[in-house]
Amino acid sequence: MVLEKAILATITTDASKVTAGASIFICESKEEMDKVAANLEAILDGISHALSDEIYIIVKH
């Protein structure tokens, strides 16, 4: 099975705004969230998208 399009991870500073699904990474600051997103982009071969100031997702296109 080839995964073509999917949400691979969610990164947030507010755990109350996300639910189960993809892996969830909870950060303490925006700066930490930016670093985690950049690392996960490289590790997962995905692209980071900001849904709000408190939530990023890593997607595979």
Side-chain angles (χ1 to χ4, degrees), residues 11-13 17 30 33 49-57:
I11 306 141
T12 184
T13 55
K17 293 193 175 190
K30 172 95 167 81
M33 201 168 65
H49 295 280
L51 299 182
S52 71
D53 289 340
E54 300 172 323
I55 301 173
Y56 286 178
I57 57 172

Side-chain angles (χ1 to χ4, degrees), residues 1-20:
M1 179 172 100
V2 175
L3 194 62
E4 293 185 22
K5 296 182 181 185
I7 297 174
L8 304 174
T10 304
I11 306 141
T12 184
T13 55
D14 186 354
S16 70
K17 293 193 175 190
V18 294
T19 60

Side-chain angles (χ1 to χ4, degrees), residues 14-49:
D14 186 354
S16 70
K17 293 193 175 190
V18 294
T19 60
S23 297
I24 300 169
F25 296 83
I26 301 168
C27 301
E28 294 187 14
S29 67
K30 172 95 167 81
E31 292 76 22
E32 182 184 9
M33 201 168 65
D34 291 339
K35 289 178 186 177
V36 170
N39 284 328
L40 287 174
E41 280 182 313
I43 292 166
L44 299 174
D45 192 27
I47 303 296
S48 173
H49 295 280

